[in-house]
Amino acid sequence: MFLGTLVSRILGMVRSPIMLGAVVGLSTPVANSFDIANNLPNLLYGILAGGLVNAVLVPAIVKATEKGRREGEVFINKLLTFSIVVLGAITAVITLAAPLVVKAYAAQMSPEWYHLTVVFAYWCLPQIFFYSMYAILGQILNAYEKFGPYMWSPALNNVIAIIGLVILLFIYGPEDSLHPSAAADWAGMRTVILAGFSTLGIAMQALILLIPMYRLGIRYKPDFRWRGSGLADVGKTGSWVLALVLAGMIPVAVLLNVAVGATERALATGIPTTEVAGNFTYNVAYALATLPNSLITVSILTAIFPRMARAATRNNYDALRSDTSLALRTIITFNAIATSGLIVLSVPFARIMAPASQPAETWALAKVLIALSLGIIFIAIHSATTKVFYALEDTRSAFLTSAPVFALQIVGYLALNTTDPRWTVVGLALVNSLTNMLIAVIQYALIRKRIGGLNSVKLLKTHLAIIGVGVLTGVVGWGAMQVFGYDAAAASVTVAVTSSLVVGVLMVVVYIVLLKLFRLPEAEILMAPVRKIFGKLRRR
């Protein structure tokens, strides 16, 4: 899973921001326009199916397969039929309503760019159906503990999208950030290639999962006999998840509008947009900041979630506590060094991710990345505690602990709507990190009570020690970066790559040495999977 996610994420970074940044720029109006349209399917998929799929399908499929393989296959056929019919109809309606959907997320966008965003959205919104089917097929495979295909299939999506971007660069060349194109320049074939290949990639990402399902012996047969199938129980459990995701979309909409407003205010006041982070810059920084979460946290929790669900189904709270404790210790160990690395290497990473950008754009991206990186550890804890709620099928508590924090996010985001455009998106990122910290603490306290304790004193001491080691490692890395110079890294891709490799390796070595020096057993957690991977490679 780690390797599949790593390859997919590397290709994803090549796709966006490296290739996409060359095609549309990093902080140009067209970058913001396509970014909103192409991210709408993600956001709306989250409302329609994302939370429901990830929260309740694995426990439901596990319950069905516990009764027998035949019962599991019958449930899966009904589930897939229901999903294709309902999600297909909803996707069609949302696509037809593209002008209204775009308005909700880009109210502050000027008319010409709003209209282009709507055109992009008509091409991108069908992705909702394919995102949903990818998640459903993936969770079916996960319930059978076949994790690899779900993590590898996004690589195909990224390859297809990269092909489209190469075609655009070959025909039209890169976007000039200092003299950006007008909206009219993007009408026609440029829009079709950019958005069309993006949607084709998502479709193939979903459809390729039919192959491992077939190899598992699962033969899909349409089944419209939904009454008494257990889908009603899934819907009941998922109603709180749906409420949670709906509530979570409100601060996201506010964030995007405030980020777009920063670019519009910069254009109106004569501030160069190269100095101003917009919503595309935010999303690039977010993709970098959440990379450790995708590589480590998601892989670990995806693997351990079926075990959690089985333990909860059997009321085996000892096993559930053990799995939760192991998950928390493991993800903290990896994410502590990731946080230090992203903060120390924010400038060179920003330059590598946007090699065609101006130095000012690199600095703007780096500042947002630093602010988001402060919340990495707490996002990981929040992800783990949420999985425990879902294993217990206690989605109500997940909603009630999150909703008040969403309200705080909205207040924080709106307060930044009149700040200096050069710092608006940095402020948005900082609010995001602080609120993730708050929700992680609240949910951890509730989970501890819900499952009968987690040896919190030991866990707290362990976490503080690991974070302390991460801070010391960061100080060493910052000192090493002075040899290269941050301004030099912002101006040169060569310096950025060299400093990232040298300082990055140094920080990893220092981190492991310090863990061992302070006799923290988590050093073994860090090294065990590495030895296992190299052992497999040697045997091959």
Side-chain angles (χ1 to χ4, degrees):
M1 284 191 293
F2 173 87
L3 292 175
T5 305
L6 179 62
V7 171
S8 299
R9 279 307 188 108
I10 290 172
L11 288 170
M13 293 298 178
V14 172
R15 169 190 177 179
S16 175
I18 295 175
M19 295 292 295
L20 185 59
V23 170
V24 301
L26 188 62
S27 57
T28 61
V30 70
N32 291 333
S33 175
F34 179 69
D35 183 72
I36 287 176
N38 199 43
N39 276 295
L40 281 175
N42 262 319
L43 298 171
L44 296 174
Y45 151 70
I47 294 175
L48 293 172
L52 176 64
V53 167
N54 292 319
V56 301
L57 281 195
V58 169
I61 296 169
V62 166
K63 278 186 177 180
T65 54
E66 287 267 299
K67 299 174 183 176
R69 185 175 182 87
R70 172 62 183 165
E71 287 80 356
E73 290 182 5
V74 169
F75 178 80
I76 287 170
N77 283 329
K78 294 178 186 295
L79 170 68
L80 286 174
T81 305
F82 180 82
S83 301
I84 290 169
V85 172
V86 174
L87 292 170
I90 292 174
T91 300
V93 171
I94 291 176
T95 302
L96 293 173
L100 296 176
V101 175
V102 171
K103 199 69 176 177
Y105 289 91
Q108 299 190 49
M109 191 171 276
S110 59
E112 65 272 19
W113 290 109
Y114 163 75
H115 291 305
L116 179 64
T117 307
V118 171
V119 175
F120 278 135
Y122 277 125
W123 283 93
C124 293
L125 285 171
Q127 295 173 20
I128 296 170
F129 175 79
F130 295 108
Y131 269 125
S132 302
M133 295 312 301
Y134 161 71
I136 292 168
L137 294 172
Q139 294 302 334
I140 291 171
L141 293 171
N142 287 347
Y144 283 87
E145 300 194 15
K146 300 295 181 184
F147 304 111
Y150 186 46
M151 296 300 191
W152 276 95
S153 63
L156 176 62
N157 163 32
N158 287 319
V159 169
I160 292 171
I162 288 169
I163 291 171
L165 294 171
V166 169
I167 293 171
L168 280 171
L169 283 174
F170 180 77
I171 298 174
Y172 300 102
E175 178 74 358
D176 185 351
S177 296
L178 296 176
H179 304 92
S181 303
D185 298 330
W186 280 87
M189 189 54 65
R190 290 175 89 176
T191 296
V192 174
I193 296 172
L194 182 57
F197 270 83
S198 180
T199 297
L200 177 62
I202 300 300
M204 294 307 299
Q205 173 180 297
L207 295 175
I208 199 172
L209 292 181
L210 293 173
I211 297 174
M213 277 191 58
Y214 183 86
R215 289 176 177 171
L216 271 176
I218 299 174
R219 304 291 186 265
Y220 169 63
K221 296 177 182 178
D223 189 342
F224 295 89
R225 296 168 297 175
W226 301 334
R227 187 185 298 274
S229 64
L231 290 174
D233 294 333
V234 173
K236 183 179 179 181
T237 305
S239 61
W240 283 105
V241 181
L242 181 61
L244 173 63
V245 179
L246 281 169
M249 290 302 102
I250 299 173
V252 171
V254 174
L255 183 149
L256 289 176
N257 274 289
V258 173
V260 169
T263 301
E264 294 294 332
R265 284 187 285 119
L267 291 169
T269 56
I271 298 174
T273 56
T274 53
E275 299 177 11
V276 178
N279 59 283
F280 181 49
T281 305
Y282 179 89
N283 283 324
V284 170
Y286 189 82
L288 277 168
T290 55
L291 185 59
N293 189 57
S294 300
L295 291 174
I296 303 299
T297 307
V298 172
S299 295
I300 291 168
L301 294 179
T302 299
I304 210 168
F305 186 45
R307 279 168 45 182
M308 287 180 170
R310 287 190 180 91
T313 299
R314 298 166 182 170
N315 294 318
N316 186 351
Y317 287 99
D318 287 337
L320 185 57
R321 282 192 295 270
S322 176
D323 286 339
T324 303
S325 177
L326 176 61
L328 286 169
R329 289 168 53 221
T330 305
I331 60 182
I332 291 295
T333 302
F334 280 98
N335 281 292
I337 180 59
T339 299
S340 291
L342 285 171
I343 292 174
V344 170
L345 298 173
S346 57
V347 173
F349 281 172
R351 184 61 184 173
I352 293 169
M353 291 300 101
S357 64
Q358 300 296 317
E361 292 177 297
T362 300
W363 276 106
L365 174 56
K367 291 172 185 175
V368 180
L369 177 57
I370 291 171
L372 283 172
S373 297
L374 296 173
I376 289 175
I377 288 176
F378 300 101
I379 290 174
I381 295 173
H382 169 47
S383 299
T385 54
T386 300
K387 283 293 188 184
V388 179
F389 280 128
Y390 292 166
L392 294 166
E393 298 185 273
D394 184 11
T395 51
R396 179 176 178 271
S397 294
F399 171 80
L400 293 177
T401 53
S402 301
V405 181
F406 292 155
L408 287 176
Q409 281 184 327
I410 293 169
V411 172
Y413 294 157
L414 290 174
L416 295 162
N417 205 28
T418 57
T419 57
D420 185 327
R422 286 165 289 203
W423 291 99
T424 298
V425 175
V426 178
L428 293 173
L430 191 58
V431 169
N432 185 287
S433 292
L434 292 173
T435 50
N436 274 310
M437 182 189 304
L438 179 60
I439 197 170
V441 171
I442 293 172
Q443 287 198 342
Y444 176 85
L446 188 58
I447 281 296
R448 178 178 174 274
K449 182 178 179 180
R450 182 74 170 76
I451 64 177
L454 271 173
N455 199 353
S456 296
V457 174
K458 182 180 178 181
L459 268 179
L460 180 61
K461 288 181 179 179
T462 300
H463 291 173
L464 289 176
I466 293 170
I467 292 170
V469 170
V471 171
L472 290 174
T473 303
V475 172
V476 173
W478 178 84
M481 266 305 300
Q482 304 310 306
V483 176
F484 296 93
Y486 281 104
D487 285 331
S492 168
V493 175
T494 302
V495 175
V497 171
T498 305
S499 60
S500 296
L501 290 173
V502 173
V503 178
V505 170
L506 173 65
M507 290 182 69
V508 170
V509 171
V510 169
Y511 184 68
I512 294 172
V513 169
L514 288 175
L515 285 177
K516 288 184 173 292
L517 186 64
F518 288 106
R519 298 181 179 178
L520 292 171
E522 283 67 30
E524 181 58 26
I525 288 177
L526 194 67
M527 293 305 298
V530 176
R531 281 197 294 267
K532 188 173 182 180
I533 290 171
F534 278 106
K536 286 185 176 181
L537 292 175
R538 281 197 300 270
R539 286 195 294 272
R540 290 178 182 176

